Each structure stands twice: as structure tokens, then as C-alpha cells.
Amino acid sequence: MRALLAFLSGGLFGAGLLVSGMVDTRKVQGWLDIFGDWDPTLAFVLGGAILPMAVAWRLTEGRRPALGGVFPPKPPVRLDRSLIGGSVLFGMGWGLVGLCPGPAMASLTFGGVEGLVFFAAMLAGMLIARPIRSRLEAMPSPA
Amino acid sequence: MLQQDWIMGAIGGLMIGSAAALFLLANGRIMGASGLLGGLIDGSGRSNLGERVAFLAGLILMPMMIIPLYREVDTHITSNLWVVIAGGLLVGIGTRLANGCTSGHGVCGISRLSVRGIVATLFYLLAGGVTVLVFRHLLEVI
């Protein structure tokens, strides 16, 4: 049952990425191109996506997930090097190519060789992120 | 035509948000694409392997099934493989360091008013904007 619901969620996510235009790198780069020919479509995508989730978070209060377990607790507010530095690196890659992890996977079956190369490079990046992270965290904090 | 893109964007966005809501309310999980994939390949997500694989299978297979409904779908990805590889590496490293990407920090984080999600989103949007500015308008390589 958990796997079935996960499959359905993933499927709806993938369909939404396709319908919204998030798999179109030109649209994504157009959205990031604030100093050029700016394309506001992604604001509608993000706004549309946040709406049902804001309702969902409300519904979690005082309840448990339908399939058991507990809801993920809110993480402590920790604005560390990994969060900031990682987000900057991610943003650079997102801007360079116009794909983030969700759309990279949603477009795997029709994104051509370049899409496959991007996915492979992303997997490699995910693998080397672990040692980088432990080094970052071992470094003494400047503050 | 641009207006129609906005409507499709909002509809697709509602689908993305509903998917995240379903995954949260049914499975009790946060729908973060980079976390679900990353935990699978670096071994940190062994405890819920089946759920991860099922989610990613849906994510990859559903677009393949509905693509025939479209006349043409083009990701318009650059053919410059060096740019593709650099971008993929940066996205992979960055999302794992930051523990999230557009879906986890952006959609699930902001909707919960999570400070980490909001800060991460501001930084990747800023970095993305500067990157497009530099590489498109100054260096003219993308």
C-alpha cells in the first residue's frame, strides 16, 4: 500500500512537471533571466504547488499519516554552511542547464542523450557530496 | 500565448502540490526529489527502499505514458555536453549538501514556513539568476 501510494504521488508529480513546463529548460532559464527577457511562468508553478501543500500541512496537525507512522517534525532552524553553500551550488547548476532533480528524472524517457548525461552527472555529484559534507562539518565554525 | 503558459503553469503547479500533499498525508513523507533519489544511491535511505523506488518509478514512467498526448515536447536542453556535465555535478552536489531542491525546500518547505526552506530557496534563486546573467549575457555560452 505504501509503495502504491508512493507510485501514485510520483506519477502525479511527474505529470505536473510536464504540464507546468518545468521540464522545459528554456522556460526555467527564462524565469531565472531577470535581467533579460523574463518569463514569469514559474511563479505560477511554485504558487500553484504551495497552495495544496499549505492546506496539507494544516491537516497534519493533531493527526497521523493515513498509512501509519508520524509526520516529519519541523527541522531546527540551522542556517549552516551546507545549507547556504549547497543551495548556491545547486542554483548555479540549475541556471547553467535549466534542470533541477525532479524534472531531470521526469524527462529521462524523452530528454535525449543530453538529459541522460545530465542525470548521470547529477548522480555522480550526489555521490561525492557526502565526503564534501563531512569535511565542511569538520571545519571549525567562523562564528 | 504567454498567458496560456501561465495557466498551464498554475495547473501543473497544483498537480505538483497535490502530489506532495498526497505523499505527506498518506505516507507521512516529504516529497523531495533530490532526497528521495540521493538516499537511494548513497545508501542513506535503506529503511524505506520500496517507497523510494516506487515514487521514482512513478515520476519517470508517468510522463512517458502521457507524452503521446502532446504534439511535441522538447526540453530544449543545451547540446554543449561540458555545460550539461558541469550543471549536473553542481545540482547533484548542491542539493545533497543543502538537503533539498526545488520540491523539498521550495514546495514543501515554504508551504510550512520553514526558515531553512525559505533561506535555501532565496539562495538558489539568487545563484541561478546570477548564473544566467553571467553565462547568458556576459559570456554568452548558454
Side-chain angles (χ1 to χ4, degrees):
Chain A
M1 198 61 192
R2 295 189 72 86
L4 177 67
L5 265 297
F7 181 79
L8 291 176
S9 305
L12 186 57
F13 180 37
L17 289 171
L18 188 64
V19 169
S20 66
M22 283 289 288
V23 296
D24 187 346
T25 61
R26 209 183 270 174
K27 270 199 154 347
V28 174
Q29 288 181 324
W31 152 258
L32 293 171
D33 195 5
I34 29 178
F35 302 100
D37 188 14
W38 188 58
D39 180 348
T41 306
L42 255 70
F44 291 88
V45 181
L46 196 60
I50 287 174
L51 219 62
M53 260 317 266
V55 176
W57 281 120
R58 280 257 162 138
L59 291 175
T60 62
E61 282 164 26
R63 289 192 180 84
R64 281 172 170 277
L67 301 178
V70 286
F71 286 114
K74 212 168 177 172
V77 180
R78 208 162 43 92
L79 306 179
D80 48 21
R81 269 189 286 253
S82 300
L83 182 79
I84 309 283
S87 295
V88 169
L89 293 179
F90 162 45
M92 287 167 62
W94 195 34
L96 266 182
V97 181
L99 281 178
C100 50
M105 287 187 273
S107 64
L108 262 184
T109 57
F110 59 90
V113 179
E114 292 86 355
L116 292 172
V117 171
F118 181 87
F119 183 68
M122 185 173 83
L123 288 183
M126 287 181 162
L127 277 174
I128 55 177
R130 268 203 143 178
I132 295 176
R133 187 188 190 121
S134 32
R135 287 214 177 164
L136 266 181
E137 283 169 4
M139 260 161 52
S141 179
Chain B
M1 272 325 269
L2 207 58
Q3 305 288 346
Q4 201 198 328
D5 284 359
W6 298 356
I7 296 168
M8 292 315 282
I11 294 172
L14 285 170
M15 292 165 72
I16 295 167
S18 303
L22 178 66
F23 202 41
L24 179 70
L25 295 174
N27 294 49
R29 298 288 311 274
I30 291 196
M31 190 192 80
S34 58
L36 288 163
L37 176 65
L40 197 64
I41 62 152
D42 69 15
S44 61
R46 264 187 218 118
S47 55
N48 36 43
L49 200 75
E51 211 173 32
R52 279 172 201 270
V53 172
F55 182 91
L56 298 176
L59 171 57
I60 293 170
L61 296 177
M62 186 62 85
M64 184 183 81
M65 288 190 274
I66 58 175
I67 215 102
L69 300 175
Y70 287 78
R71 257 172 303 176
E72 57 142 348
V73 175
D74 192 345
T75 59
H76 294 119
I77 187 171
T78 175
S79 54
N80 183 335
L81 283 183
W82 294 113
V83 172
V84 171
I85 291 170
L89 280 172
L90 284 166
V91 169
I93 297 171
T95 53
R96 289 307 276 159
L97 283 185
N99 251 339
C101 55
T102 339
S103 46
H105 280 313
V107 176
C108 299
I110 292 178
S111 61
R112 190 184 206 185
L113 297 178
S114 149
V115 178
R116 277 174 61 86
I118 293 169
V119 169
T121 302
L122 287 176
F123 273 95
Y124 67 68
L125 284 178
L126 189 71
V130 171
T131 302
V132 170
L133 173 70
V134 171
F135 285 86
R136 172 170 290 177
H137 298 293
L138 302 181
L139 303 175
E140 297 178 354
V141 291
I142 59 171

